[in-house]
Amino acid sequence: MANVNWRTINIDALDPDSPANFDLTSLAPSVAPVSTADVQSLASQIRQLLRGGDNEGALQGALENPPYGADDKGKDIHLATVIEILQSIRQSDMSPILSRIYSAPGGTEALDVLMKYIYKGMAQTSATGTARNVTPQPTGFSQIHARGGGEGGGQAMSVLLSWHEKLVEIAGPGSIVRVMTDRRTV
Amino acid sequence: MAQPEVHHLFHHPIADHSFSADRQLLAVARESNVDLFKRNGSKFQLADELKGHDKTVTGVDIAPKSGKIVTCSQDRNAYVWEPSPDGWKPTLVLLRINRAATFVRWAPSETKFAVGSGARLIPVCYFEEEDNWWVSKHLKKPIRSTITTVAWHPNSVLLAAGSTDGHARVFSSFIKGVDERPEPSAWGERLPFNTVCGEFLNNTAGWVHSVAFSPSGNALAFAAHDSSLTVVYPSAPEQPPRAVISITTQLLPFMSLVWSSEDEIIAAGYDCQAYRLQGSEQGWQLAGSLETKGRPGVAHREESALNMFRQMDLKGKTTDDTKLDTVHQNTISTIRVYEEAGGQVRKISSSGVDGRVVVWSL
């Protein structure tokens, strides 16, 4: 006993009431696991709608089936699909499409999902932007390169920002709060 | 609709407030003290201060019949204050918790009270005649996180609790020798202490701010931080509920709610105003705000050109937009029933971060 450093004992592991011993899965709503292949096939179906010019149907389909149970790769595929749809819809069509989705049954849920993807998309574009900035450029043109990357991200960001503005007009700040609160991440 | 009665007491947040049954006394949690205000005509005047806690007071409740005041605080203590000829006499209650107490409410029977705490348990406290001492029994399982709010069923045995683990739960707090054996209800038949009669989670698992039983006790409503309000109608003991209706709003989250009748809930929170929600087992919807639009004093007056240019010169803008056009100027943290007649609530009171207590007619 003498050589046990009692200051480093993890007392939480010994206390049955400690939060370290909780089964945390019971706290979050259960989500069914989704395989990456399923996400991929859904993405190709949605792309088909998109090619057929049915932007609204594509958006609705993408928002109704968020792959909460997928792994990171599956979630990234679905994010790319949603962003592609968002970028293909003209600014003047945004509000009418959003109000139609909102008034449909389960519409608030769908708009909450859209809000999640908008925020995730914003996080994504800025992350890739910085990633490009840190790539070492032996030619010394790193600055120009970084600026180019930033502008590309900026365009994607401006699409997301205008979607965000239109969405808040319809779904209200409640939808933002739900994105922050929800344990089912996209 | 009558104008709301606004009492701006001080410039501090009000964590909790409570009126006595005759509505002459108002207890307000202010920092580490509880201020007692007495009604004087149409105003409330500071009459007494209950000093005893040494950290922020988080809950205060006046028992309607006995007039005893219970307070709880982040210093992990609760006191029961009784009126005596030489002022209010505090009695320390042994809560046996190692985290802050967050919320306290008397049971309708007034023989016991429940305290929410950060220690993942609910001390249910009752008076032990033999030892002349308030003792507590802990509701523990299956609480996973801080209890933010508790609410009593009219039978004084069932207790609803909302927690930061996203669950609203219904427990039995039956204590032998203190409580009458309760009538069997949809929540349960045999109810030994710490029976879990219901455990509810909404879709997003946002943490729960407020819970309340309907006047009959046959429905439970809870408001969570995902701006939603969920109403649960139980069917029978050990059975899934008959209906769980969850409505997501466009508003900011509700902090507090009360049932004004079986088919109406008043909820208020971060939007600084109270909202009316109506519905039944078939469905619930938001029915609008309690604020009367265009109240005098807040409505835009016609500005003179001179005044407009003067404001632009002094402040760089023409209208003073530092004031919200709601009665409360900050988050509403508590709403309570103020006056009720024949099972129908006529008036409610609200208090918030802006130091105001407001009485609303429904």
Side-chain angles (χ1 to χ4, degrees):
Chain A
M1 240 357 235
N3 56 5
V4 173
N5 186 358
W6 48 270
R7 283 181 190 279
T8 60
I9 295 173
N10 182 6
I11 54 163
D12 280 336
L14 303 172
D15 177 7
D17 289 338
S18 158
N21 297 329
F22 282 167
D23 177 21
L24 291 173
T25 51
S26 71
L27 296 185
S30 55
V31 286
V34 181
S35 71
T36 311
D38 287 349
V39 179
Q40 216 128 31
S41 72
L42 180 68
S44 61
Q45 279 173 31
I46 288 167
R47 287 227 169 74
Q48 212 129 42
L49 281 175
L50 208 55
R51 268 197 294 277
D54 185 5
N55 293 344
E56 192 177 341
L59 184 61
Q60 216 147 14
L63 297 183
E64 270 164 18
N65 307 300
Y68 289 137
D71 56 0
D72 284 347
K73 197 164 165 240
K75 286 181 177 184
D76 281 343
I77 294 170
H78 204 72
L79 172 69
T81 316
V82 174
I83 300 285
E84 196 182 325
I85 301 167
L86 293 183
Q87 283 172 338
S88 70
I89 293 173
R90 267 181 295 135
Q91 192 141 9
S92 55
D93 295 339
M94 289 177 182
S95 290
I97 289 179
L98 288 177
S99 12
R100 276 198 293 276
I101 295 179
Y102 184 66
S103 48
T108 48
E109 185 82 36
L111 292 191
D112 291 346
V113 174
L114 177 58
M115 189 61 101
K116 286 181 195 170
Y117 278 108
I118 289 175
Y119 279 120
K120 176 127 192 214
M122 288 177 179
Q124 201 92 22
T125 46
S126 53
T128 51
T130 45
R132 243 174 252 166
N133 284 344
V134 294
T135 357
Q137 292 292 317
T139 51
F141 288 106
S142 63
Q143 240 185 329
I144 296 165
H145 187 87
R147 203 187 292 151
E151 268 163 18
Q155 201 188 356
M157 186 65 91
S158 87
V159 172
L160 291 176
L161 277 172
S162 48
W163 272 104
H164 184 265
E165 183 194 346
K166 301 282 188 323
L167 186 52
V168 171
E169 267 170 31
I170 289 169
S175 144
I176 300 176
V177 179
R178 275 191 286 281
V179 173
M180 295 194 283
T181 315
D182 207 331
R183 310 223 185 194
R184 298 166 302 174
T185 54
V186 294
Chain B
M1 194 161 32
Q3 288 292 316
E5 192 185 313
V6 185
H7 304 285
H8 195 177
L9 302 175
F10 41 71
H11 293 279
H12 274 289
I14 299 176
D16 199 2
H17 79 280
S18 180
F19 282 94
S20 63
D22 60 3
R23 297 180 282 274
Q24 297 301 305
L25 186 70
L26 165 63
V28 166
R30 175 190 188 175
E31 298 192 319
S32 58
N33 293 334
V34 172
D35 287 1
L36 294 180
F37 290 84
K38 276 228 160 67
R39 186 177 271 279
N40 189 347
S42 64
K43 280 199 164 67
F44 277 98
Q45 268 177 349
L46 186 63
D48 213 340
E49 274 180 284
L50 305 183
K51 290 184 179 172
H53 289 292
D54 56 13
K55 289 215 166 57
T56 307
V57 175
T58 49
V60 55
D61 199 20
I62 304 181
K65 282 169 255 162
S66 65
K68 288 178 191 166
I69 301 175
V70 61
T71 61
C72 73
S73 150
Q74 291 174 1
D75 65 7
R76 313 190 304 278
N77 288 326
Y79 285 103
V80 175
W81 306 78
E82 283 167 87
S84 73
D86 44 331
W88 291 87
K89 191 170 73 66
T91 313
L92 182 71
V93 182
L94 285 182
L95 295 179
R96 299 181 288 126
I97 53 176
N98 55 9
R99 298 284 190 282
T102 54
F103 200 82
V104 65
R105 285 294 177 266
W106 283 104
S109 67
E110 300 183 15
T111 50
K112 53 183 189 176
F113 58 86
V115 184
S117 83
R120 303 193 306 275
L121 47 84
I122 308 170
V124 177
C125 308
Y126 58 99
F127 194 72
E128 194 110 293
E129 291 288 348
E130 283 172 25
D131 306 325
N132 191 22
W133 194 255
W134 286 92
V135 293
S136 65
K137 251 181 123 167
H138 287 171
L139 286 171
K140 243 181 180 161
K141 288 203 162 92
I143 302 168
R144 296 294 208 212
S145 190
T146 301
I147 296 294
T148 52
T149 176
V150 294
W152 286 95
H153 188 275
N155 70 9
S156 293
V157 168
L158 292 170
L159 179 75
S163 165
T164 48
D165 59 17
H167 289 262
R169 298 185 179 90
V170 177
F171 295 102
S172 162
S173 68
F174 181 78
I175 290 169
K176 230 163 136 183
V178 176
D179 291 308
E180 302 270 317
R181 198 161 289 281
E183 295 280 313
S185 69
W187 296 105
E189 278 154 9
R190 285 195 62 251
L191 298 166
F193 189 77
N194 210 160
T195 310
V196 181
C197 306
E199 199 172 11
F200 310 104
L201 183 70
N202 65 4
N203 286 338
T204 60
W207 58 102
V208 179
H209 284 302
S210 186
V211 287
F213 280 106
S214 72
S216 68
N218 291 331
L220 177 80
F222 63 95
H225 197 71
D226 57 350
S227 294
S228 75
L229 188 130
T230 307
V231 187
V232 180
Y233 292 91
S235 55
E238 314 277 321
Q239 298 291 316
R242 270 203 318 249
V244 179
I245 294 149
S246 189
I247 61 162
T248 50
T249 67
Q250 303 175 321
L251 311 163
L252 293 176
F254 297 128
M255 284 290 281
S256 189
L257 61 94
V258 290
W259 291 73
S260 62
S261 65
E262 284 295 326
D263 50 13
E264 191 176 77
I265 293 175
I266 310 292
Y270 289 104
D271 263 322
C272 313
Q273 49 184 320
Y275 289 90
R276 207 188 278 272
L277 297 110
Q278 285 164 339
S280 66
E281 246 172 89
Q282 275 70 47
W284 280 80
Q285 65 269 341
L286 200 65
S289 168
L290 283 190
E291 301 270 342
T292 43
K293 291 278 169 272
R295 277 174 300 109
V298 184
H300 287 288
R301 284 189 307 269
E302 194 72 32
E303 294 281 349
S304 71
L306 172 69
N307 199 18
M308 188 182 93
F309 285 114
R310 181 180 289 153
Q311 289 299 323
M312 278 172 79
D313 184 34
L314 285 172
K315 295 179 178 162
K317 55 193 176 188
T318 51
T319 49
D320 186 17
D321 55 1
T322 55
K323 232 176 150 233
L324 298 175
D325 57 359
T326 53
V327 172
H328 275 285
Q329 293 296 305
N330 209 328
T331 302
I332 298 174
S333 43
T334 315
I335 52 175
R336 278 171 172 268
V337 173
Y338 181 80
E339 190 182 308
E340 94 187 288
Q344 183 77 31
V345 176
R346 304 244 176 255
K347 288 181 176 179
I348 59 156
S349 59
S350 63
S351 68
V353 180
D354 58 349
R356 283 177 177 82
V357 172
V358 181
V359 178
W360 305 83
S361 314
L362 297 181

